[in-house]
Amino acid sequence: MPYPMLHRKNKINAKINIKAFFQGDKWREAFIFLFFLLFSAGFWLMQTLQETAEGIFSVPVSYSNVPENIAFNESLPNEIELRVQDRGVTILNYKFGSKLDSLRFDLGTLKPQNNTYTIPAKYIESECQRILSHETKLLSCQPNIIVLDYNRLTNRKIPVFLQGDIEPAAGFMLTGEVHFDPSVVTVFGSKEILDTLQGIYTKEIKLLNVDKSGNIQVKIDPANGLKTNISSVKLSYSVEEYTEKVFEIPIIAKNFPENFRLRTFPAVVQVSCLLPLSLYASVNPSDFEASVYYADVKKDTTSTVRVEISRKPEFLKKYRFSPEKVEYLLEQVQSND
């Protein structure tokens, strides 16, 4: 079979040719040329980076000491564009190297006039120069003056509500209500909006498979046009392992005339409730009351009437009882008079 032999011979010849190339004068000449080319390029780059150059980049802006009782008519500028002059290596570092500090504009040092804050060019330039190297020359900044128009707001104390869910893990339950600290915050806004506001909500949260009590900081989520005196509140919740407790309680008649007597079939209902382990021993049948009301019997046409749990512990959220309807017999009794 000539073809495999030919293929093997071609491979051997190729290896010989490659080896001969790297051992020959042409390879040495090519290697020397590439070395000097890279050396020249590196030397040129170093020279270029040491020369004076100009660069343009943006830096973030933050604002401090903003009065709580004002709202700006437009969004505040969140960055300023700087045009600077320095060595090329410094310009390169500004753009791609270490991160510059943000510009901090302190409104507490400025006096507003006619519901307007004006941040002058000198203030902006001095703040820009603060974050730059002493050798860097600031050529310009845009915007070079900032005008902030605002409106004054009224305020009202508003309760905080949870937006979201806390879902206990299997076999656990929330005990009691969630608590906020503080539970009331000061909300700033127009009088028209504040007069209709019933509560201020947190940002939406969802805690899953919670198996122990805890507390977390939750940010407040004011509606558009509103501000709050604080940005977050502490949310506290209690979670405990639960168990089931079952007992029977008698059905009693409520609001019946004295000359009527009610008999129900059955005479008791079975109550099943889920209780945290810490409260299991403290909950008893006497804490509950199952009632049938005369008003329900009067309008009944089926000889059955609904049963209502008219008393239970306030903290108890999860319970059920059976039956929810019972048959009854209403007897009229003779007065002793």
Side-chain angles (χ1 to χ4, degrees):
M1 299 180 65
Y3 294 107
M5 292 293 294
L6 181 61
H7 180 68
R8 196 177 301 117
K9 184 177 180 181
N10 289 339
K11 286 180 65 177
I12 293 172
N13 291 335
K15 289 181 179 180
I16 293 171
N17 292 334
I18 293 172
K19 185 176 181 180
F21 173 78
F22 283 107
Q23 291 179 344
D25 293 337
K26 290 184 177 180
W27 163 246
R28 283 192 292 272
E29 292 174 0
F31 178 79
I32 293 171
F33 172 78
L34 288 173
F35 173 79
F36 280 104
L37 179 63
L38 292 174
F39 180 80
S40 300
F43 183 77
W44 171 83
L45 180 61
M46 290 178 63
Q47 286 291 107
T48 301
L49 291 178
Q50 295 302 317
E51 293 177 358
T52 301
E54 293 184 6
I56 298 175
F57 52 90
S58 296
V59 291
V61 175
S62 64
Y63 301 84
S64 62
N65 293 319
V66 179
E68 295 175 340
N69 63 336
I70 69 170
F72 293 104
N73 296 337
E74 297 180 358
S75 298
L76 304 182
N78 57 13
E79 64 179 22
I80 285 184
E81 184 180 86
L82 306 185
R83 180 168 162 261
V84 301
Q85 185 182 73
D86 205 330
R87 292 183 307 158
V89 65
T90 305
I91 300 296
L92 202 62
N93 188 51
Y94 283 146
K95 286 189 174 184
F96 307 108
S98 58
K99 190 175 181 180
L100 288 171
D101 291 338
S102 64
L103 301 173
R104 297 190 300 269
F105 296 150
D106 184 0
L107 299 191
T109 63
L110 304 174
K111 290 185 178 180
Q113 292 184 344
N114 299 323
N115 288 359
T116 299
Y117 277 101
T118 300
I119 304 178
K122 285 186 178 180
Y123 186 107
I124 295 175
E125 289 174 4
S126 65
E127 184 63 20
C128 291
Q129 194 65 62
R130 177 187 65 82
I131 65 173
L132 297 172
S133 168
H134 295 299
E135 299 176 353
T136 301
K137 182 178 180 181
L138 177 65
L139 301 178
S140 66
C141 49
Q142 292 295 330
N144 63 350
I145 187 171
I146 298 176
V147 178
L148 307 172
D149 296 323
Y150 65 87
N151 291 318
R152 292 195 176 274
L153 305 173
T154 57
N155 69 83
R156 200 181 126 207
K157 293 189 179 297
I158 305 290
V160 180
F161 296 133
L162 175 65
Q163 181 177 209
D165 293 303
I166 302 175
E167 297 184 5
F172 290 81
M173 66 186 302
L174 282 170
T175 57
E177 302 292 336
V178 298
H179 297 281
F180 293 102
D181 183 21
S183 60
V184 173
V185 298
T186 303
V187 181
F188 299 88
S190 67
K191 187 175 185 304
E192 293 75 16
I193 295 177
L194 292 181
D195 286 345
T196 62
L197 203 62
Q198 300 301 314
I200 197 81
Y201 286 88
T202 66
K203 286 190 177 294
E204 187 169 4
I205 65 167
K206 196 170 187 67
L207 302 179
L208 304 177
N209 296 319
V210 180
D211 59 3
K212 59 183 178 181
S213 303
N215 56 76
I216 57 172
Q217 285 293 129
V218 185
K219 287 191 174 296
I220 297 173
D221 189 21
N224 289 336
L226 298 178
K227 294 173 59 179
T228 55
N229 64 323
I230 55 176
S231 61
S232 65
V233 293
K234 184 170 76 171
L235 166 66
S236 300
Y237 53 90
S238 297
V239 175
E240 194 174 336
E241 196 171 355
Y242 71 81
T243 187
E244 186 176 38
K245 192 168 188 176
V246 180
F247 43 78
E248 291 184 342
I249 57 175
I251 299 173
I252 63 174
K254 282 282 189 79
N255 303 331
F256 280 76
E258 291 184 1
N259 60 331
F260 283 95
R261 183 169 61 191
L262 180 74
R263 296 176 186 269
T264 63
F265 307 94
V268 298
V269 294
Q270 186 180 74
V271 178
S272 173
C273 51
L274 297 179
L275 297 169
L277 293 178
S278 61
L279 297 176
Y280 184 85
S282 64
V283 175
N284 300 295
S286 59
D287 298 320
F288 293 80
E289 187 177 80
S291 304
V292 168
Y293 290 89
Y294 181 62
D296 292 333
V297 171
K298 279 183 64 176
K299 63 185 180 183
D300 174 62
T301 59
T302 63
S303 297
T304 61
V305 65
R306 70 183 181 92
V307 181
E308 183 177 312
I309 300 297
S310 53
R311 189 179 74 237
K312 66 176 183 63
E314 289 187 6
F315 66 84
L316 186 63
K317 302 299 182 184
K318 295 185 178 182
Y319 71 94
R320 63 181 186 275
F321 65 95
S322 178
E324 296 182 358
K325 283 190 173 184
V326 293
E327 296 180 345
Y328 68 91
L329 180 61
L330 187 62
E331 298 176 334
Q332 189 168 8
V333 296
Q334 294 294 329
S335 175
N336 294 330
D337 296 338

